[in-house]
Amino acid sequence: DLEDAAATPCHPSIFVLAKFTRKLKDEDSSSAFSCRLKLGYPPDCVIFTTLINGYVHCDKLPLAAQLLNKIINLGFQPNIVTYGAIFKGLCRIGDNASALTLLTKMHSAAHCKPNLVIYNTIIDSLCKDSLLQQAMDLFSAIKTDGIQPNVVTYTSLIRGLYNTGCREEAKAVLTEMLKTNIAPTVVTYSTLVDMFCKDGNVKEAQATLQLMTHKGVTPNIFTYNALLDGYCLRGQMRDAKKLLDIMAQNGCEPDLVSLNSMINGYVKLKNIDKALTVLENMFQKGITPDVVTFNTLMDGSCKANRLTLARQLFTDMQAHGVTPDVVTYNSLIDGLCKCKRLDEAVGLLEDMEDKGIKPTTVTYNILMDSLCEAGQLEDAAKIFSDLVSKGFAA
């Protein structure tokens, strides 16, 4: 019985409140809370925080915020854990505006000031949403308040700045971090390796990997995969193969991401047979290919005019339980059109629609261009009519 459970003195009822807040209707958890008040058991911050955590856990942020306001109006003083739960929930759903508003309110409260964990939560969320100016302003504010940023703060900013193209600003933040004698973690180093590779600066990424090893920080799968992808994007497949061997020697077995990068690298070099060998190695290692694996291979096969292979891969992926997506179909349709196999291409359009996969403007444009080029204007007009009827702009 909910009322009996709620009446149990102090904190066994915390678990009841948490359970009911997470699993039952909103009024059930409120009922349990009300029952305690009616029966004379005083509420406290632990009870309030439990309820708020429950609401946050099941994405009922408005209820969590209402309860926070209610307890403040009742004269209770939420603690740092209570506020932390709300900030975590707001940032998880990307409601940065509400998080910043709450931060301002928290600053004005005399009893409880934000700590570095709360600042880091907000800064990381701002960076992920590319709100870099606000993130940098908050970064400056915490230093002005005498709070020393840590490696989590710096790593979030470096990643956020670099991902939005602010390369020099990211390097400046990194330099500041090193000057304050904050040791980078594996996450920081992995971020740097990924950043340098995406910028085409593989030598700098190599140097970063060597530095972290020298500093006693062990690279993880994310570090290795970032550098591996950098090699593959630049066609440095010998270096990529050596890195795979180093990974295995260091007890970091290549995963699906690693092998997908290898396949992509070989495909870019038009070495489809080498890419197929990587696929075979996947199966031997017990790694299940995904739609990215097959799409990369099919696109490469189509561009190499190996349509029979592409069709076989299309069959194989489904046999292995991998569902084709719009990218799969677009690659095959494009390959068939370039080989003047227009009837098969139109058949694939019908097949994808039958399977509930919505064509894109790219799909329609490939078909219409090819049909017009072949002089099949009536068929092209039918495709165009279908496009318009589905709401695409003419």
Side-chain angles (χ1 to χ4, degrees):
D1 181 85
L2 182 58
E3 185 167 339
D4 289 340
T8 307
C10 214
H11 291 314
S13 62
I14 292 170
F15 302 105
V16 176
L17 285 171
K19 176 182 175 183
F20 280 97
T21 305
R22 293 182 183 189
K23 294 186 177 180
L24 298 182
K25 296 178 181 178
D26 305 332
E27 57 268 21
D28 289 324
S29 55
S30 298
S31 173
F33 174 57
S34 299
C35 285
R36 285 185 55 84
L37 292 180
K38 290 176 184 176
L39 292 165
Y41 297 109
D44 57 25
C45 275
V46 178
I47 295 290
F48 289 132
T49 303
T50 302
L51 274 168
I52 286 173
N53 259 317
Y55 286 138
V56 169
H57 179 81
C58 53
D59 293 325
K60 297 174 182 175
L61 268 299
L63 291 171
Q66 287 172 22
L67 182 57
L68 179 66
N69 290 331
K70 183 176 181 179
I71 63 180
I72 291 172
N73 291 336
L74 287 172
F76 291 94
Q77 295 183 343
N79 60 25
I80 197 72
V81 179
T82 316
Y83 278 110
I86 296 279
F87 281 112
K88 182 179 178 182
L90 291 171
C91 292
R92 191 176 69 221
I93 64 171
D95 191 354
N96 295 299
S98 294
L100 290 170
T101 299
L102 182 59
L103 184 67
T104 302
K105 289 182 180 178
M106 194 176 178
H107 270 296
S108 64
H111 65 281
C112 189
K113 298 296 183 185
N115 61 10
L116 185 57
V117 173
I118 286 174
Y119 282 120
N120 282 348
T121 300
I122 300 172
I123 287 173
D124 187 60
S125 182
L126 290 168
C127 289
K128 285 176 179 174
D129 285 353
S130 302
L131 300 171
L132 272 302
Q133 187 57 58
Q134 288 171 281
M136 290 301 293
D137 288 345
L138 193 54
F139 178 60
S140 298
I142 66 176
K143 291 188 289 184
T144 301
D145 288 345
I147 298 174
Q148 175 61 48
N150 63 11
V151 67
V152 176
T153 325
Y154 282 106
T155 301
S156 293
L157 285 168
I158 292 167
R159 182 171 53 227
L161 288 164
Y162 207 92
N163 286 344
T164 53
C166 303
R167 290 357 185 205
E168 294 307 314
E169 291 86 345
K171 290 175 183 176
V173 172
L174 174 63
T175 301
E176 179 183 324
M177 173 182 165
L178 297 175
K179 282 182 178 178
T180 54
N181 294 318
I182 295 175
T185 64
V186 65
V187 176
T188 316
Y189 281 118
S190 298
T191 300
L192 292 171
V193 170
D194 186 52
M195 285 177 355
F196 289 131
C197 286
K198 284 179 178 173
D199 207 29
N201 196 345
V202 177
K203 286 186 178 179
E204 194 71 36
Q206 286 175 314
T208 303
L209 182 65
Q210 291 169 358
L211 175 64
M212 70 184 290
T213 305
H214 178 72
K215 294 284 187 181
V217 180
T218 304
N220 61 18
I221 189 68
F222 300 104
T223 324
Y224 285 122
N225 280 347
L227 181 55
L228 188 70
D229 192 51
Y231 284 142
C232 292
L233 288 174
R234 291 173 60 84
Q236 297 176 225
M237 299 312 294
R238 284 188 181 179
D239 291 323
K241 185 68 175 64
K242 286 179 184 176
L243 186 60
L244 283 182
D245 294 337
I246 292 170
M247 290 169 66
Q249 290 166 14
N250 291 340
C252 192
E253 285 296 326
D255 62 3
L256 176 62
V257 175
S258 318
L259 298 181
N260 275 351
S261 291
M262 293 294 291
I263 287 173
N264 187 48
Y266 284 125
V267 165
K268 281 183 175 295
L269 294 176
K270 296 182 173 57
N271 195 337
I272 307 301
D273 291 329
K274 278 278 191 181
L276 289 171
T277 301
V278 178
L279 178 64
E280 290 173 13
N281 289 339
M282 268 193 193
F283 288 121
Q284 290 169 6
K285 292 175 180 289
I287 298 171
T288 304
D290 64 2
V291 70
V292 174
T293 317
F294 284 106
N295 283 351
T296 305
L297 283 165
M298 276 187 281
D299 189 57
S301 300
C302 288
K303 287 175 179 173
N305 294 321
R306 296 176 66 172
L307 266 296
T308 302
L309 173 60
R311 293 303 299 254
Q312 184 59 51
L313 287 165
F314 182 67
T315 301
D316 290 348
M317 73 184 293
Q318 294 173 86
H320 285 94
V322 180
T323 303
D325 62 10
V326 68
V327 176
T328 319
Y329 279 100
N330 283 352
S331 293
L332 271 178
I333 289 171
D334 187 51
L336 289 167
C337 285
K338 285 177 179 173
C339 291
K340 310 303 181 186
R341 293 161 63 171
L342 300 181
D343 289 344
E344 288 181 63
V346 173
L348 271 181
L349 173 64
E350 294 169 356
D351 181 59
M352 69 187 293
E353 290 179 321
D354 289 342
K355 290 180 178 175
I357 300 171
K358 293 181 179 179
T360 64
T361 52
V362 173
T363 320
Y364 287 116
N365 284 339
I366 292 168
L367 282 166
M368 287 189 295
D369 287 348
S370 299
L371 289 167
C372 289
E373 190 178 316
Q376 297 178 220
L377 300 183
E378 286 187 14
D379 292 329
K382 287 179 183 177
I383 299 290
F384 180 75
S385 177
D386 186 41
L387 178 151
V388 174
S389 70
K390 287 183 169 61
F392 289 92

